[in-house]
Amino acid sequence: MAKYSTNRGGGGGDGDSCELCGRSTAKLRRANVAGADLLVCPDCAPHGENRHADRKNESTDASRDGSERNRKKRAAQRTAKMYDSAKGDSKHWEEKGTNYEKDRLPYLVSGYGGVVESARQDAGLQLSDLADELELDEKQLLAIEQGRATRANIGGSAIRALEERLGVTLVDE
């Protein structure tokens, strides 16, 4: 008769019987069955919670080479970033077109995006028409209307041009 969680085989006490079905075999393996750690035969092993352990180990061995490469790649990228920041040359990653020292974005009123969008629509202008008139990209004007001027690297001159053209107040002074 099979014995559960005894960590010894069932039957005669010689330790070569499956603790799940009681069959005698020399090919016992450890399996966690319903929370019990048992020595089971190959037929009962699929009932254990760790039945995929062999496949996982095989795939882990195969993927170690790939993860090792990824780890080295990430380390090289971090080193390059640290080198760039230590060098103080940030021109290669900053957006082009906005010089923040000369064209600083002023503090904007709360809800400025909705103000711009409403004023544009009241004036009967399409987004593309207003962008062409103010010599802005449509994406920049859309970012302003969505309240993302800071994240979209919009300069203060674009905000002032919008204020003048649409007759609205956007700068919080």
Side-chain angles (χ1 to χ4, degrees):
M1 175 149 291
K3 298 178 184 175
Y4 295 98
S5 301
T6 61
N7 288 330
R8 59 190 162 101
D14 53 3
D16 61 354
S17 296
C18 174
E19 291 182 333
L20 196 58
C21 70
R23 186 167 52 141
S24 293
T25 180
K27 297 181 180 180
L28 294 177
R29 55 174 87 155
R30 189 157 306 281
N32 188 329
V33 179
D37 209 20
L38 305 174
L39 289 173
V40 295
C41 65
D43 292 335
C44 293
H47 297 290
E49 293 171 3
N50 59 351
R51 62 186 173 264
H52 300 295
D54 294 337
R55 280 187 248 151
K56 284 182 186 174
N57 289 340
E58 290 171 9
S59 66
T60 302
D61 292 340
S63 68
R64 277 194 185 128
D65 294 335
S67 66
E68 180 70 18
R69 275 185 257 131
N70 289 339
R71 188 180 65 77
K72 287 181 179 180
K73 183 178 179 180
R74 285 192 312 270
Q77 288 170 340
R78 275 184 254 138
T79 303
K81 280 184 185 178
M82 288 181 3
Y83 175 76
D84 288 343
S85 65
K87 209 169 113 178
D89 180 21
S90 60
K91 291 177 185 166
H92 64 279
W93 56 266
E94 282 184 345
E95 287 289 323
K96 298 193 178 9
T98 303
N99 183 341
Y100 290 105
E101 297 305 314
K102 294 179 183 174
D103 193 18
R104 288 188 175 191
L105 181 65
Y107 289 105
L108 301 174
V109 296
S110 179
Y112 66 91
V115 171
V116 172
E117 185 176 13
S118 295
R120 177 184 58 80
Q121 289 173 350
D122 290 346
L125 293 170
Q126 293 294 320
L127 190 71
S128 58
D129 297 335
L130 184 58
D132 290 341
E133 186 178 326
L134 298 176
E135 297 178 359
L136 293 172
D137 288 338
E138 280 186 55
K139 289 180 182 180
Q140 289 178 314
L141 188 55
L142 183 62
I144 294 169
E145 287 187 358
Q146 292 175 345
R148 301 180 294 113
T150 304
R151 287 177 285 185
N153 302 321
I154 305 298
S157 60
I159 298 297
R160 288 183 192 83
L162 275 169
E163 282 184 318
E164 187 177 322
R165 172 61 179 91
L166 298 174
V168 294
T169 302
L170 302 174
V171 177
D172 186 21
E173 297 188 66

